[in-house]
Amino acid sequence: MKKNTKTCVLAIGGMHCASCAANIEKSLKKKSGVFDASVNFASEKATVSFDPSKISEDALEKAVEKTGYKVIRKPAKNVLRLRVIGMDNPHCVGTVNAGLSRLKGVISKELLVTEKATIAYDPSLVSPKKIKETIQSLGYKPVEEAAHDSEKEAREKEIKSLKKKFVVSIILSIPLLFFAMAPHIGISIPEFFEKNMALIQFILTTPILLVGHQFYTRGFLAVVKTKSATMDTLVAVGTGAAYLYSLFVSIMIWLGNKGFGNDQLYFEVAGILITFILLGKYLEAVAKGKTSQAIKKLLSLQAKTAVVVRGGKEVEIPIEEVVVGDIVLVKPGEKIPVDGIIIDGCSSVDESMITGESIPVEKTKGDKVIGATINKAGSFRFKATKVGSDTALAQIIKLVEEAQGSKAPIQALADKISAYFVPTVVVIALLSFFAWLLLGFGFGFALTAFVAVLIIACPCALGLATPTAVMVGTGLGAEHGILIKSASALQTAHKLDTVVFDKTGTLTQGKPKVTDIIPFGKLSADELIKYAAIIEKRSEHPLGEAIVAEAKQKNIKVSDAESFLSVTGKGVKARFEGKTLLLGNRSLMAESKISVQEHEERIKSLEQEGKTVMIIAINNKVAGLIAVADTLKEHSKEAVKELQRMGKEVIMITGDNKRTGEAIGRELGIKRVLAEVLPKDKANEIKKLQEEGKIVAMVGDGINDAPALTQADIGIAIGSGTDIAIEAGDIVLIKNDLRDVVMAISLSGYAMRKIKQNLFWAFFYNSIGIPLATGILYPFTGWLLSPIIAGAAMAFSSVSVVTNSLLMKNYKFAKS
């Protein structure tokens, strides 16, 4: 990353094909201060890395607009949108206007008699609450409207516009189609229409071309501004040629030139083609909108308001006004507005919208809660720790947006072909035109072939093949708690042949737990754990904490020892009720001259199971053994077994000694264990595996394992709730369920199959369509592809690719 680099994402409207995206990309990259630009046709967004000291976001937006496309700008942050009930006439508007004008901090206001108010304000001088109170004091009721999504609004507006244009075009095209087809199916046209056919077709066609004017303005603007052609250029040249030739013929007919007649008119070709293309663009826009439904679902999860305690009172405020440190009250059935830590109360929380896990999670004091999750039974208060763009949901949305805007390596092929595609098609169209002309088939016949080639060869399907599948795939993953951070990660994951798991905190719980209590002599198991807990009560060692926790779980009262001495690397000594107590390893016993020989076989047996054995002695005599182990996570075995069934080699990496590591490996069914590896050396172990020619995934907690996650071909970070290790891996698993590793790899494979299907059909369509359009079959069959049929085929080719990607939503995330 270069110094002083800023990245911005621009939402763009009006792109019709991959060539459009390539032209915008080229225009942005030419700008001084721009390091890189990537334009995604499917998501209709440009991601630009630039030096803010050399170029501004505003200049980048203007560069896009100069190429003929619209930038959808985000609304200003400090804008209040209200419905002011009662403000339904000019007098009321004037009253509210006068009241707000007296309020310091109101920058601008737009007040309408439709009860709509848009007010820009300075948050350092006035709050939304004060603005609403002012309006209320004037006798009107202000109601805050839902958050304004300018991009969604612009996309919906574009879809409505395309629909209107198509409706107008189809109404005018039906009579054009009738006039074109009637003579071929034996229907006679009335004499009046026959005599005035040129004028009637001109009157019907011209409005259609005006309705579809964007194809002409953008098509020719692309040539002028970027010295390259787009799909719009093909449409403009093809339909423009048919229209202009028909206009020339019409003028000749009107001038009484007997060498020209109605059979030389091609108005219907231009008009009906534009109609079909508008239909295709409308269906494509609707389908593309569905590919980003995951983002819409995530955005809809956000709470709109929060009840906070301020000045000793409970106040309901917009979620945007919640600040870190606020005490927030949540009642049963309510959405948790922001991330935080419970300070009072308990409940069960449905976290399925974030984690995909349907079972509610029990929450008590000290537990973390995630914004947008739903409180089920109880009520509680929590302290806000993350608000706005820092919340877990906001981070997830950001990750998914970035992933959906990124390009997969496989798309590079489609991008390269698209760059040369349009100029090549123009050359083929011209060659077919002159070839048929020279062969004596007449201008009309040659023009038909020329237009058909230009129209059928649309690079839209090629441009949509990869990004639509990436958008649906990454969105699907996010809905199920699997965050795939880039299209590249989605593409690579299915190729993995080796999966390396960190042990502690990944395969295991990461917290030692007492597994065996073995008393000797007259002591009971409860008495033994009681003495052990008394010894360890003041210890901060994880093994000691596990023993104290076990005693508390058994409701055993743990008293304070009279004296306590920690012996580094060996154990602990203490005195209690006149007894000398020792708890530790063989070294501590040997130092105190206590023999453990008769219990050695039992100790070794426990150690071979991967457990840490502590010996307890009372008054210099062995009283029992306590074994502690880091227990396996619930689904670790299932995940390992499923990965092996998929043909992946599973390896465990751990800092534990070889005997302990291999014992846990045996329990999991993992044959290869890399033991006694320090955290700093884990990345080197991954590198060694890669040098063996393996494609490696590293699965870890995303914090201690960061170097190894970065070194791996795919780093998979295990996170939960607000502790997601966003920066660590290529894939982030929100839940602590290792079966999601299997699901991530499976989803990658499924997405790649869809991408390959899309690319195959896009290439196949053009490979078959272009030769047919040139008239290659005409000498053998007497059949020439009609430009109208070519237009219909072109319109539905891109729709079919998007639809195939949308079928990914039927993918079943079944647990093994």
Side-chain angles (χ1 to χ4, degrees), residues 477 480-482 484 490 493-496 499 501 507 635-650 697 699 714 716 718 731-733 735-751 753 811-816:
H480 292 82
I482 300 168
I484 300 167
L490 183 69
H494 80 290
K495 297 178 185 174
L496 296 166
V499 181
F501 285 97
L507 289 166
H635 302 297
S636 293
K637 275 186 184 178
E638 276 182 72
V640 169
K641 188 178 178 183
E642 188 61 22
L643 285 168
Q644 289 170 336
R645 193 188 66 76
M646 291 167 73
K648 315 294 181 189
E649 182 185 3
V650 180
V699 186
I714 292 289
I716 302 177
I718 303 288
I731 297 173
V732 181
L733 309 180
K735 296 171 284 178
N736 277 321
D737 189 338
L738 291 184
R739 292 176 298 177
D740 287 347
V741 175
V742 179
M743 287 163 61
I745 294 170
S746 298
L747 178 60
S748 165
Y750 183 64
R753 286 197 297 277
Y811 179 71
K812 301 297 179 189
F813 279 80
K815 299 286 187 186
S816 58

Side-chain angles (χ1 to χ4, degrees), residues 121-137:
Y121 62 95
D122 183 344
S124 65
L125 298 173
V126 67
S127 68
K129 184 183 175 186
K130 182 65 178 172
I131 293 169
K132 286 186 275 186
E133 284 174 352
T134 301
I135 293 171
Q136 202 154 4
S137 70

Side-chain angles (χ1 to χ4, degrees), residues 223-500:
V223 177
V224 174
K225 291 283 183 183
T226 61
K227 304 292 185 291
S228 58
T230 66
M231 167 259 178
D232 290 331
T233 312
L234 294 180
V235 172
V237 172
T239 58
Y243 179 82
L244 291 173
Y245 176 70
S246 301
L247 185 58
F248 168 74
V249 171
S250 299
I251 292 168
M252 291 296 106
I253 292 170
W254 298 333
L255 291 172
N257 193 317
K258 301 294 182 183
F260 295 90
N262 291 341
D263 59 334
Q264 291 169 282
L265 293 173
Y266 290 91
F267 279 122
E268 84 281 355
V269 170
I272 295 169
L273 275 178
I274 291 293
T275 302
F276 271 130
I277 294 164
L278 284 169
L279 173 62
K281 289 293 136 196
Y282 167 67
L283 295 174
E284 184 186 304
V286 171
K288 280 199 309 190
K290 290 178 182 177
T291 63
S292 59
Q293 276 183 346
I295 293 283
K296 291 171 190 171
K297 281 183 186 176
L298 289 169
L299 285 167
S300 68
L301 297 175
Q302 294 170 317
K304 301 291 183 287
T305 60
V307 176
V308 300
V309 179
R310 287 185 180 169
K313 294 180 181 178
E314 292 177 10
V315 187
E316 186 172 358
I317 60 171
I319 192 169
E320 294 82 9
E321 293 179 31
V322 179
V323 296
V324 172
D326 267 340
I327 304 303
V328 185
L329 177 68
V330 184
K331 293 174 184 175
E334 290 183 344
K335 278 185 181 179
I336 296 167
V338 294
D339 297 0
I341 297 173
I342 295 177
I343 57 170
D344 181 38
C346 60
S347 185
S348 60
V349 176
D350 178 0
E351 296 184 342
S352 60
M353 61 284 297
I354 299 290
T355 66
E357 191 59 63
S358 58
I359 301 168
V361 182
E362 295 301 317
K363 300 283 184 178
T364 57
K365 186 178 177 180
D367 286 339
K368 293 175 182 177
V369 288
I370 310 168
T373 56
I374 299 171
N375 181 33
K376 301 294 280 185
S379 61
F380 58 86
R381 292 188 308 156
F382 72 92
K383 187 177 183 179
T385 56
K386 290 183 180 177
V387 299
S389 61
D390 293 328
T391 63
L393 179 65
Q395 290 291 306
I396 290 167
I397 291 169
K398 181 172 176 279
L399 263 184
V400 178
E401 282 180 332
E402 286 174 356
Q404 292 189 340
S406 64
K407 287 187 179 182
I410 197 170
Q411 195 176 335
L413 175 64
D415 286 350
K416 270 185 184 176
I417 291 169
S418 293
Y420 298 102
F421 190 83
V422 174
T424 304
V425 167
V426 171
V427 170
I428 293 170
L430 288 169
L431 287 173
S432 62
F433 173 79
F434 287 113
W436 290 118
L437 208 57
L438 291 169
L439 289 168
F441 280 83
F443 186 86
F445 188 98
L447 182 66
T448 300
F450 174 74
V451 175
V453 172
L454 289 177
I455 298 303
I456 204 165
C458 172
C460 297
L462 204 56
L464 287 166
T466 302
T468 51
V470 168
M471 288 175 76
V472 177
T474 52
L476 260 177
E479 285 176 33
H480 292 82
I482 300 168
L483 302 183
I484 300 167
K485 289 172 67 177
S486 68
S488 179
L490 183 69
Q491 179 175 329
T492 305
H494 80 290
K495 297 178 185 174
L496 296 166
D497 53 35
T498 306
V499 181
V500 180

